[in-house]
């Protein structure tokens, strides 16, 4: 932990802060993995830099390259699902990217297991303490789930979502599509009804707008 007065930086500052391509790519990551903000990306970048630093140090000479420590490090990353299961060399650690880490976030695992309709909803389930991993409630969406733990991800028995008949659990992808179709149908009906009402409807709408403007002026 270290001394409280000497807090270590948990993220790296970006070198291309105002680069358009960087901004667009990071916005995609925030959307795809329901990140709270871009600081979460900075934390992942720091973690990747640590992994690569260790790999480079072990890869300096043939002695450390083939050591038990190097093999253990490779196996550890493979067990966490970050490294390819077929990886055998330290060089492959240098190819780890942001998505390799973000894919192992608990919120993303929940979404991949189809326990949630969207990544954002998956994050909400975790934050609201609906999810257990290995029998323990985890409320951190950024928790990196190992391959062994992935099989034990489930809803807490104290959560309403543990019931298979819960409305949120019934909404599969087909259910979501049907729900969207219903909403579009309702919107179309409302649009047609508005047209059928003709000038009278437009007159009422204009009157409501005038009333709202008068309230703002007051």
């Amino acid at each position: 932990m270290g001394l409280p007065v000497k807090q270590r930086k948990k993220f790296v500052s970006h070198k291309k802060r105002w680069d358009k391509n960087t901004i667009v790519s990071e916005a995609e990551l925030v959307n795809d993995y329901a990140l709270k903000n871009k600081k979460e990306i900075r934390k992942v970048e720091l973690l990747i830099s640590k992994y690569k630093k260790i790999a480079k140090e072990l890869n300096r000479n043939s002695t450390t390259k083939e050591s038990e420590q190097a093999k253990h490090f490779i196996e550890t990353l493979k067990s966490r699902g970050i490294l390819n299961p077929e990886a055998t060399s330290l060089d492959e650690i240098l190819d780890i990217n942001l998505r390799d880490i973000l894919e192992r976030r608990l919120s993303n695992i929940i979404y991949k297991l189809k326990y949630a309709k969207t990544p954002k909803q998956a994050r909400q389930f975790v934050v609201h303490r609906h999810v257990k991993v290995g029998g323990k409630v985890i409320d951190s969406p950024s928790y990196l789930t190992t391959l062994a733990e992935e099989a034990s991800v489930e809803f807490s028995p104290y959560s309403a979502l543990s019931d298979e008949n819960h409305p949120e659990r019934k909404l599969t992808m087909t259910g979501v599509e049907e729900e969207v179709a219903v909403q579009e149908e309702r919107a179309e009906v409302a649009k047609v009804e508005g047209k059928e009402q003709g000038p009278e409807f437009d007159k009422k709408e204009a009157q409501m707008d005038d009333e709202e403007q008068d309230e703002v002026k007051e």
Side-chain angles (χ1 to χ4, degrees):
M1 180 178 176
L3 292 173
V5 293
K6 293 185 178 180
Q7 290 291 334
R8 296 179 180 177
K9 201 171 183 180
K10 296 180 180 179
F11 60 93
V12 292
S13 299
H14 212 286
K15 295 179 181 179
K16 297 182 179 180
R17 186 172 294 177
W18 309 115
D19 181 61
K20 181 180 178 180
N21 293 331
T22 302
I23 293 172
V24 172
S25 62
E26 289 184 349
E28 290 179 357
L29 291 174
V30 171
N31 182 63
D32 292 346
Y33 297 98
L35 306 181
K36 184 178 180 181
N37 49 46
K38 291 185 179 180
K39 188 177 283 188
E40 292 199 65
I41 298 176
R42 303 284 90 78
K43 291 180 179 179
V44 175
E45 287 177 338
L46 179 62
L47 182 61
I48 292 174
S49 67
K50 287 181 178 179
Y51 287 156
K52 291 184 178 181
K53 184 179 179 181
I54 294 172
K56 288 176 182 177
E57 289 178 353
L58 293 171
N59 208 17
R60 282 181 179 176
N61 55 64
S62 58
T63 305
T64 56
K65 188 176 182 180
E66 302 295 333
S67 65
E68 289 297 323
Q69 186 179 359
K71 293 178 182 177
H72 177 71
F73 184 52
I74 293 172
E75 291 301 320
T76 300
L77 295 183
K78 286 165 68 174
S79 66
R80 293 177 182 176
I82 297 171
L83 202 59
N84 191 314
E86 299 177 357
T88 55
S89 68
L90 293 166
D91 294 333
E92 294 179 69
I93 297 174
L94 303 178
D95 295 329
I96 294 175
N97 57 44
L98 285 168
R99 288 187 180 270
D100 292 334
I101 304 290
L102 294 173
E103 284 288 330
R104 301 310 306 169
R105 286 168 58 95
L106 179 57
S107 59
N108 190 63
I109 297 298
I110 292 294
Y111 177 61
K112 287 201 302 182
L113 292 173
K114 296 183 180 180
Y115 288 163
K117 296 180 290 184
T118 63
K120 190 173 182 180
Q121 187 184 52
R123 181 187 181 92
Q124 185 184 46
F125 286 168
V126 177
V127 172
H128 290 184
R129 300 177 64 82
H130 290 295
V131 179
K132 289 178 71 177
V133 180
K136 183 179 179 181
V137 174
I138 304 293
D139 59 3
S140 175
S142 61
Y143 177 80
L144 297 180
T145 313
T146 65
L147 295 176
E149 290 175 331
E150 188 173 342
S152 65
V153 174
E154 60 184 353
F155 286 116
S156 170
Y158 300 105
S159 168
L161 292 168
S162 61
D163 183 6
E164 293 183 358
N165 295 320
H166 192 281
E168 291 297 338
R169 295 193 64 176
K170 281 187 173 182
L171 285 175
T172 58
M173 291 308 296
T174 305
V176 173
E177 291 173 1
E178 291 175 355
E179 187 181 47
V180 171
V182 170
Q183 292 295 338
E184 290 177 349
E185 186 179 347
R186 288 176 181 172
E188 189 65 29
V189 170
K191 188 177 179 181
V192 172
E193 289 178 351
K195 287 181 178 178
E196 288 177 352
Q197 291 177 8
E200 185 180 349
F201 177 78
D202 295 335
K203 186 178 179 181
K204 287 182 180 180
E205 196 174 38
Q207 186 179 354
M208 290 173 65
D209 291 339
D210 292 337
E211 290 176 357
E212 288 180 359
Q213 290 178 3
D214 292 338
E215 289 178 3
V216 171
K217 289 179 181 179
E218 291 175 359

